[in-house]
Amino acid sequence: MEKNDRLFLLDGNSLLHRAFYALPKTLQTSEGEYTNAVFGFTKMLLRLIEEEDPDALAVAFDLAAPTFRHKEYEEYKAQRKKTPDELSPQFDLIKEVLTAFKIPVLQLEGYEGDDIIGTLAQAGAQEGYQVTITTGDRDALQLVTEDIEIMYTKRGITNIVKYDLDKVREDYELEPKKLIDMKGLMGDKSDNIPGVDGIGEKTSTKLLHQFDSLEEVLDNIDQVSGKKRKERLREQGDRARMSKKLATIKLDVPIDYDLEEFTLVEPDQDKLVEVFSKLEFNTLLKEFGGYDTLSFSEDFELITDYSQLDKLINNLKEEKQIGFKFNFAETKLYQQKANGLTIVYNDQEAYYIDMKELEAKEVVKALKDYFEDEEVKKLSLDSKQNLLYLKELGVEVEGLDFDPLLAGYLLRPSNKKQDLEDLLTEYLKVELSEVDDEVEQETQLVRSLFKLKEKLIKDLKDKGLLELFVDVELPLIPVLVELELNGIAVDEDELERLSSKLQEKLDSICTKVYELSGEEFNLNSPKQLGEILFEKLGLPVIKRTKTGYSTSASVLEELEGKHEIIPLVLEYRQYQKLKSTYVDPLADLINHQTDRIHTSFNQMVTATGRLSSTEPNLQNIPIRTEEGREIRKVFVAEEGKKLLAVDYSQVELRVLAHISQDENLIEAYINNEDIHTKTAAEVFGVEAENVTYEQRRRAKAINFGIAYGISPWGLAKDIDVSNKEAEDYIDQYFNRYPKVKEYMDEKIQDAKDQGYVKTILNRRRYLPEINSSNYHRRSFAERMAINTPIQGSAADIMKLAMLAASTTLKERGLESEILLQVHDELVFEVPTEELEEVQQIMKEKMESVIELDVPLIVDLNVGKNWRDMEEVE
DNA sequence: CGATATTGCAA
DNA sequence: TATTGCAATATCG
């Protein structure tokens, strides 16, 4: 050891607790094992090593066994809550991490970590180390000397304060040693150390200025001021002595360690990788070189002329499996451009076709037959984008066989983003080498597809997801490509008319609002509006948000009648929403190559298996209010065609009837009853023919709520009744539909037992928070467990419908096209002469994509635009 | 400029 | 303190 080497001693228990409370419990492995404390501790340890550069380091832990303090005083730490269940197992985990770092773990039966640290700190200081103790426990401050300092984690794990001798003197106005006497006098609530009644921080500090120690105080009680205080010190002197003893950190623990062994050394690489993989600390794994680099050949053949291309195509003839990927320069539809095309065959043989040199049209034409050959299995990355490009150039890919991102989505649908890097690290424990050359990078990506296919297909198979992947999700990609390229025609003039009409209304409302409020302000700012309403106009505050007053529609509605400004604000909000979210952005998204709007359907976003739609989102175009509904007028069918909307009637409730097997619900659907009226009759105990409008409305809300994992509170808010009434309705509902209740309990149990719930097509959703000790998180997971099989199965059914619809239109050689999917509805554009046939065929096909124990029914609506639709049949 | 909060639209 | 999404706007660091 060199002189002044730095020795760090960490209080494992204290720091792990700190990390546990500082980091969200969402940090878990995919199995649901909690890792937040371990992660936080590890990060802190690494930062400590990085920033403080210790020469030696060790971590001390408490053991579960009682210490001498418990023997001394039964009540010691008796009020302490038991370590949370989510934390306990993390003690063993952090010890594994430390072992991998080759950092000594110190623990000794009968002693606390503090005592071990105290003993070793003193020993270290004597041997000439500069000692730093890291802990979240202020007790350690008594150990501070010239050579021993404390790093105290004030809050969380990042806020650290260093206490050296000066700092302690400054903060406590006492020598560190005297902090023990202080504890003896004032006690310590957190450790259940009693001290002397009526003496707190102020008095004990004062006394210890007057006397050198607790003992001196007790020996000279006469000189203490205050009658009551003297009395208590006399009565409770022994208690004080005991308290001091409890608070004293031991400096003579019989622990046998050679400080030389604490010297920081290189970690055990293999063990570190092993433990980080187990804990799924992917960022740390990367940092510690835990991943092998995927070593592919750097070789590839660059194709820059047509003779080389011909040669490649000739070689490909024999190949039944290829990986391909375009290198895109522009992905706007009907203007797509690619810089190149990578093709890999025979597992690793790579070609890059330079499409800056070669004409894209020519390249694609030359490869058309190959891409359209169903016998040739294609692997691609971001297949939808690649297929969009090819289809734009007239090539309809057949034989699409694998996309790692899509497979990854089915394996972990709740992941925030689906990307290749995660898949490589998570499933293959490798990463791609960093390559400067763009082209080489592309070839590496495509090469990796083969490795991923092998592993991911196996995982899909193990989890019963392969059929969903092969029969539904993968074939859906070309269907989504159709929808996106089709787009929907837009009446641009109508859009402009709407925009100026809305602007006029906004201007006039705005003027009136300013008049009423006596000043101009930004009506779009909830903050400014809140100040006007609740401060200037003095309206009652209904609800607050994190940052101020809530001005949401529900709040404003309650204020209606209190001030004439309110209805104006509500009206302003409505028009502002329509204009800024729908009308104006839609105009910008018209593709002038096609004069249509082409949304993008994302297949890998939702946790339940639904699609989502962006740029623009065509799945949330207004319909409920007349003003909002106007927007739908701009979505039109071309000349000579009609829009046909086919929607599944109450598909989610039918799914619920099927999976819950509730006889009452099934029977209602089999008998084609009005389900909301039926529910009203059941819940309110009246005959179906006597159900009032209001009762039916409420029953409808109950039926919706059920599918979401209803709470009395939520229902009460929705239909404006008391919590008690809402609770009664729900009870009565479960009474009449008992299997629905059973279904809910079962799904929650499934999630607890298996960690996930499933849909009709076996789609999974993992719900690790189902076991959370946090009520909110747990309840949320429970509602997901209830809702996901319902919403997800409905999504499954719709995906089957899309496949069936697409296939049927092709088989029949019809010109009709699918334009949109809105969760339970498909919108088609149909030449008038095909209308009859398409209506009839879609009804038949969509109602029979799957056989449930209740009938599936679709309703058909036809119109010239998406607003003025009329029901047919 | 990016992240976050609030608000509100759909199924 | 009801499920799943996307997006506009304001505001803050």
Side-chain angles (χ1 to χ4, degrees):
Chain A
M1 181 208 120
E2 310 276 321
K3 196 167 161 44
N4 289 330
D5 266 4
R6 303 190 69 192
L7 167 65
F8 276 70
L9 298 167
L10 277 55
D11 183 341
N13 280 68
S14 161
L15 296 176
L16 201 66
H17 268 96
R18 278 299 165 99
F20 178 73
Y21 290 109
L23 294 178
K25 295 194 195 61
T26 44
L27 281 169
Q28 295 174 16
T29 62
S30 47
E31 304 279 295
E33 199 177 7
Y34 291 89
T35 54
N36 62 327
V38 180
F39 185 75
F41 191 116
T42 307
K43 280 297 236 191
M44 195 177 58
L45 178 69
L46 292 171
R47 200 172 51 234
L48 190 83
I49 293 173
E50 168 82 11
E51 287 175 10
E52 304 287 332
D53 192 29
D55 300 287
L57 194 150
V59 184
F61 286 93
D62 300 347
L63 282 178
T67 65
F68 68 93
R69 293 190 179 84
H70 295 96
K71 287 171 191 157
E72 184 90 11
Y73 179 55
E74 259 181 36
E75 299 298 302
Y76 181 68
K77 291 192 177 174
Q79 88 302 357
R80 279 280 171 96
K81 276 198 199 136
K82 137 176 190 309
T83 308
D85 289 339
E86 299 93 329
L87 175 56
S88 303
Q90 297 192 57
F91 278 92
D92 284 335
L93 298 176
I94 192 62
K95 287 173 193 172
E96 283 183 46
V97 172
L98 292 169
T99 308
F101 274 110
K102 294 196 192 158
I103 291 173
V105 170
L106 315 172
Q107 44 197 6
L108 190 62
E109 205 161 290
Y111 295 91
E112 293 182 40
D114 264 359
D115 301 313
I116 300 172
I117 286 175
T119 304
L120 293 172
Q122 205 181 40
Q126 266 162 23
E127 287 192 25
Y129 282 99
Q130 284 294 318
V131 180
T132 304
I133 297 168
T134 310
T135 178
D137 187 348
R138 280 177 180 275
D139 286 351
L141 294 178
Q142 63 182 267
L143 298 169
V144 171
T145 67
E146 281 289 351
D147 306 311
I148 302 175
E149 63 172 4
I150 311 287
M151 282 178 68
Y152 172 67
T153 54
K154 209 170 165 187
R155 251 201 357 248
I157 51 168
T158 40
N159 192 344
I160 294 174
V161 192
K162 272 194 189 178
Y163 279 90
D164 56 12
L165 207 44
D166 289 340
K167 173 83 174 156
V168 174
R169 285 172 179 156
E170 186 189 318
D171 273 24
Y172 290 88
E173 301 168 30
L174 289 172
E175 288 298 303
K177 281 264 175 301
K178 284 199 182 176
L179 294 174
I180 312 174
D181 301 276
M182 186 169 164
K183 270 266 176 83
L185 285 164
M186 64 182 274
D188 183 344
K189 272 245 167 66
S190 69
D191 290 344
N192 212 26
I193 296 177
V196 177
D197 293 334
I199 295 186
E201 193 178 329
K202 286 268 160 55
T203 317
S204 52
T205 308
K206 201 182 83 190
L207 288 172
L208 290 167
H209 284 161
Q210 197 179 344
F211 304 100
D212 274 343
S213 67
L214 170 71
E215 288 75 14
E216 293 238 341
V217 175
L218 295 176
D219 287 345
N220 300 286
I221 294 178
D222 305 345
Q223 296 169 39
V224 173
S225 67
K227 196 173 148 203
K228 187 84 184 166
R229 197 172 287 153
K230 281 189 187 118
E231 203 175 287
R232 281 194 170 142
L233 281 167
R234 283 202 183 91
E235 278 171 11
Q236 300 175 12
D238 285 343
R239 214 169 87 179
R241 282 183 232 270
M242 181 201 65
S243 294
K244 179 175 173 180
K245 198 166 168 194
L246 290 175
T248 308
I249 293 175
K250 284 266 194 189
L251 300 175
D252 57 355
V253 171
I255 193 161
D256 194 18
Y257 276 102
D258 182 353
L259 292 180
E260 293 284 335
E261 289 171 15
F262 297 176
T263 305
L264 213 50
V265 293
E266 283 301 305
D268 179 333
Q269 197 65 28
D270 292 346
K271 259 198 194 144
L272 207 54
V273 167
E274 189 190 310
V275 65
F276 283 170
S277 322
K278 187 173 95 173
L279 296 169
E280 297 175 18
F281 291 170
N282 291 324
T283 50
L284 289 175
L285 258 182
K286 207 169 169 182
E287 207 174 308
F288 284 84
Y291 298 119
D292 295 330
T293 304
L294 252 191
S295 51
F296 292 128
S297 155
E298 290 168 15
D299 293 343
F300 60 88
E301 205 165 307
L302 192 61
I303 295 185
T304 52
D305 67 45
Y306 291 102
S307 70
Q308 290 171 310
L309 180 62
D310 286 344
K311 218 174 95 193
L312 167 63
I313 290 168
N314 207 38
N315 290 349
L316 286 175
K317 281 201 178 116
E318 303 303 311
E319 299 301 327
K320 290 300 170 203
Q321 173 169 275
I322 63 161
F324 78 97
K325 174 183 181 297
F326 287 95
N327 182 13
F328 288 102
E330 169 67 62
T331 53
K332 189 169 160 29
L333 290 195
Y334 298 99
Q335 297 176 37
Q336 297 184 87
K337 280 194 186 62
N339 289 334
L341 166 61
T342 307
I343 292 181
V344 173
Y345 68 83
N346 194 13
D347 202 359
Q348 295 301 319
E349 219 158 316
Y351 292 81
Y352 184 84
I353 303 167
D354 188 337
M355 293 167 69
K356 285 178 177 165
E357 294 291 325
L358 302 182
E359 206 50 50
K361 269 193 184 154
E362 293 303 316
V363 171
V364 168
K365 200 166 118 193
L367 286 160
K368 182 174 160 82
D369 288 346
Y370 196 68
F371 274 126
E372 293 188 344
D373 182 352
E374 196 190 351
E375 300 296 309
V376 181
K377 301 303 172 198
K378 283 104 185 166
L379 286 55
S380 195
L381 179 64
D382 201 354
S383 316
K384 196 183 75 182
Q385 193 64 57
N386 283 278
L387 265 57
L388 276 169
Y389 180 76
L390 283 166
K391 182 154 172 154
E392 192 175 308
L393 295 176
V395 173
E396 303 213 24
V397 173
E398 297 283 341
L400 181 62
D401 190 53
F402 183 71
D403 185 320
L405 303 180
L406 190 58
Y409 168 64
L410 294 187
L411 290 168
R412 45 228 226 305
S414 304
N415 265 35
K416 281 271 174 295
K417 57 180 185 356
Q418 305 293 338
D419 70 36
L420 189 72
E421 201 183 329
D422 282 356
L423 291 169
L424 288 169
T425 52
E426 201 174 321
Y427 290 92
L428 298 180
K429 309 290 178 219
V430 296
E431 56 190 349
L432 288 174
S433 54
E434 292 213 8
V435 182
D436 289 335
D437 183 47
E438 188 187 342
V439 174
E440 193 188 326
Q441 180 74 33
E442 291 287 302
T443 62
Q444 301 285 317
L445 292 178
V446 178
R447 281 174 157 135
S448 74
L449 296 177
F450 297 84
K451 295 263 175 289
L452 280 166
K453 177 179 170 184
E454 207 179 317
K455 168 70 175 157
L456 294 178
I457 292 286
K458 183 181 171 301
D459 279 23
L460 288 171
K461 203 175 201 165
D462 288 348
K463 296 182 158 57
L465 289 165
L466 193 58
E467 287 190 331
L468 177 62
F469 182 70
V470 171
D471 299 337
V472 182
E473 298 292 351
L474 216 42
L476 190 65
I477 294 176
V479 178
L480 296 180
V481 167
E482 279 174 40
L483 268 72
E484 291 187 17
L485 282 168
N486 287 337
I488 184 164
V490 175
D491 182 343
E492 218 173 334
D493 298 336
E494 182 63 32
L495 205 50
E496 257 175 55
R497 277 197 294 279
L498 267 178
S499 180
S500 33
K501 199 175 99 189
L502 288 168
Q503 190 56 53
E504 279 172 29
K505 292 197 179 192
L506 285 170
D507 288 344
S508 107
I509 298 170
C510 218
T511 316
K512 287 186 210 156
V513 168
Y514 293 158
E515 272 173 32
L516 286 170
S517 53
E519 69 180 284
E520 295 197 0
F521 64 100
N522 185 350
L523 198 36
N524 292 322
S525 159
K527 187 163 170 270
Q528 294 182 34
L529 176 63
E531 281 160 20
I532 295 285
L533 295 182
F534 304 113
E535 287 171 21
K536 190 160 180 185
L537 301 179
L539 291 166
V541 177
I542 308 283
K543 205 169 84 183
R544 286 177 184 281
T545 64
K546 245 180 275 188
T547 52
Y549 314 108
S550 170
T551 64
S552 66
S554 64
V555 168
L556 296 181
E557 273 157 25
E558 281 193 57
L559 292 171
E560 219 157 3
K562 291 234 161 50
H563 197 288
E564 48 186 328
I565 200 173
I566 299 295
L568 290 173
V569 174
L570 280 166
E571 210 186 345
Y572 177 88
R573 281 264 177 88
Q574 191 192 3
Y575 293 131
Q576 168 70 15
K577 176 79 178 178
L578 294 176
K579 184 163 190 294
S580 70
T581 307
Y582 298 102
V583 176
D584 292 344
L586 283 179
D588 293 333
L589 289 165
I590 296 173
N591 186 317
H592 291 293
Q593 256 75 38
T594 59
D595 282 328
R596 295 168 80 96
I597 286 182
H598 304 265
T599 184
S600 171
F601 285 106
N602 199 323
Q603 197 180 357
M604 301 182 274
V605 168
T606 71
T608 53
R610 277 186 173 185
L611 298 180
S612 80
S613 153
T614 53
E615 274 186 302
N617 179 358
L618 292 183
Q619 293 180 320
N620 74 340
I621 302 301
I623 191 167
R624 292 172 196 187
T625 69
E626 193 44 53
E627 296 89 335
R629 207 181 162 137
E630 284 284 290
I631 311 259
R632 293 189 171 223
K633 259 168 78 181
V634 310
F635 298 98
V636 298
E638 277 175 13
E639 195 61 40
K641 299 180 181 178
K642 289 277 174 64
L643 293 181
L644 166 67
V646 187
D647 70 285
Y648 278 108
S649 161
Q650 293 165 350
V651 61
E652 293 196 351
L653 277 182
R654 287 173 198 265
V655 164
L656 175 62
H658 173 82
I659 50 187
S660 71
Q661 286 291 302
D662 185 279
E663 292 87 355
N664 200 4
L665 207 48
I666 291 178
E667 208 185 282
Y669 276 119
I670 288 178
N671 297 334
N672 199 20
E673 293 175 52
D674 177 324
I675 196 66
H676 301 316
T677 303
K678 157 96 174 168
T679 298
E682 297 284 11
V683 170
F684 302 113
V686 296
E687 292 297 319
E689 54 266 32
N690 296 331
V691 167
T692 64
Y693 175 84
E694 180 58 21
Q695 284 173 326
R696 186 178 182 281
R697 195 185 69 84
R698 290 182 179 190
K700 193 172 170 181
I702 296 172
N703 280 330
F704 271 101
I706 290 294
Y708 298 148
I710 202 164
S711 77
W713 197 93
L715 179 65
K717 196 164 60 100
D718 196 42
I719 60 176
D720 199 26
V721 298
S722 71
N723 285 0
K724 177 77 180 67
E725 276 174 279
E727 208 176 325
D728 289 343
Y729 294 165
I730 294 170
D731 284 347
Q732 188 57 20
Y733 181 97
F734 288 146
N735 236 326
R736 305 306 303 167
Y737 302 105
K739 292 271 180 71
V740 172
K741 173 70 177 147
E742 278 176 38
Y743 158 82
M744 294 180 165
D745 296 339
E746 254 172 48
K747 290 304 133 186
I748 292 171
Q749 200 52 48
D750 282 357
K752 284 186 173 157
D753 294 344
Q754 302 164 343
Y756 60 87
V757 289
K758 287 190 306 190
T759 67
I760 289 180
L761 297 188
N762 260 354
R763 185 189 304 280
R764 285 185 184 193
R765 181 180 188 179
Y766 291 89
L767 298 167
E769 300 222 311
I770 199 83
N771 293 316
S772 171
S773 59
N774 178 312
Y775 173 81
H776 289 291
R777 291 172 184 277
R778 191 175 61 247
S779 303
F780 196 25
E782 287 173 358
R783 293 194 296 272
M784 290 172 180
I786 291 165
N787 175 259
T788 298
I790 301 172
Q791 188 184 122
S793 299
D796 292 347
I797 291 169
M798 178 47 93
K799 285 179 171 173
L800 294 177
M802 294 174 77
L803 295 171
S806 171
T807 307
T808 310
L809 291 178
K810 280 204 190 67
E811 275 173 2
R812 300 212 162 201
L814 292 163
E815 254 184 65
S816 300
E817 303 274 18
I818 319 175
L819 309 187
L820 301 175
Q821 187 255 45
V822 192
H823 308 307
D824 66 356
E825 169 187 11
L826 287 180
V827 178
F828 298 83
E829 187 171 40
V830 185
T832 322
E833 63 274 16
E834 289 181 4
L835 202 50
E836 278 290 318
E837 183 181 358
V838 173
Q839 283 169 23
Q840 182 251 315
I841 199 165
M842 284 307 153
K843 182 153 178 75
E844 194 231 303
K845 291 283 173 186
M846 286 175 67
E847 288 182 349
S848 62
V849 289
I850 194 168
E851 178 112 11
L852 302 183
D853 293 326
V854 292
L856 270 181
I857 301 293
V858 301
D859 297 326
L860 305 165
N861 287 275
V862 176
K864 208 44 218 166
N865 63 58
W866 205 12
R867 184 191 71 165
D868 305 310
M869 305 284 273
E870 281 182 33
E871 181 153 9
V872 291
E873 279 166 296

